[in-house]
Amino acid sequence: EFVETGGGLVQPGGSLRLSCAASGFDFSIYSMAWYRQTQGEERELLAGITSDGQTKYADSVKGRFTISRDNGRNTAYLQMNTLRPEDTAVYYCNMRPASAQWGQGTRVTVSS
């Protein structure tokens, strides 16, 4: 199970930190990732982190977003800086590759 929190309304240029509480599996041995989806579009992979902390980012968020994890808390994070209106979406976390089970996501709206 994945429970995403931390979304909300933020002005362009602002920041948010998303959290993902994971349960039901051995979090520490799986790669994790953050994804987002806007209405009518396919889910987009944004950032991934391996079990030992190596990270990779989509070009659309590279340099602005940072993925991290706390294996002791079974939690993944996404620090989002310099947010843009086009970052408006529902954000999800999952394994990488993704499992079939998705959480409800957390909505991020970037607007003035």
Side-chain angles (χ1 to χ4, degrees):
E1 181 184 15
F2 305 103
V3 178
E4 302 91 347
T5 58
L9 173 64
V10 62
Q11 291 188 342
S15 298
L16 282 174
R17 188 193 195 206
L18 307 184
S19 298
C20 168
S23 61
F25 64 100
D26 190 349
F27 180 84
S28 65
I29 66 172
Y30 283 89
S31 294
M32 295 295 297
W34 282 92
Y35 306 78
R36 70 185 177 191
Q37 188 171 27
T38 55
Q39 197 163 4
E41 301 289 331
E42 290 193 1
R43 201 165 277 154
E44 175 189 10
L45 172 64
L46 299 176
I49 184 167
T50 62
S51 57
D52 62 352
Q54 296 180 59
T55 59
K56 194 170 184 179
Y57 298 90
D59 288 343
S60 58
V61 305
K62 195 176 296 182
R64 300 189 298 124
F65 291 10
T66 302
I67 188 172
S68 61
R69 66 190 296 160
D70 183 338
N71 289 339
R73 296 178 183 270
N74 287 1
T75 300
Y77 303 96
L78 187 68
Q79 177 67 44
M80 306 188 297
N81 298 328
T82 319
L83 283 161
R84 305 166 178 168
E86 55 264 39
D87 294 319
T88 295
V90 179
Y91 285 70
Y92 303 87
C93 72
N94 205 315
M95 300 172 179
R96 173 81 175 120
S99 71
Q101 185 174 9
W102 292 86
Q104 292 194 342
T106 186
R107 182 173 297 277
V108 173
T109 302
V110 185
S111 175
S112 55

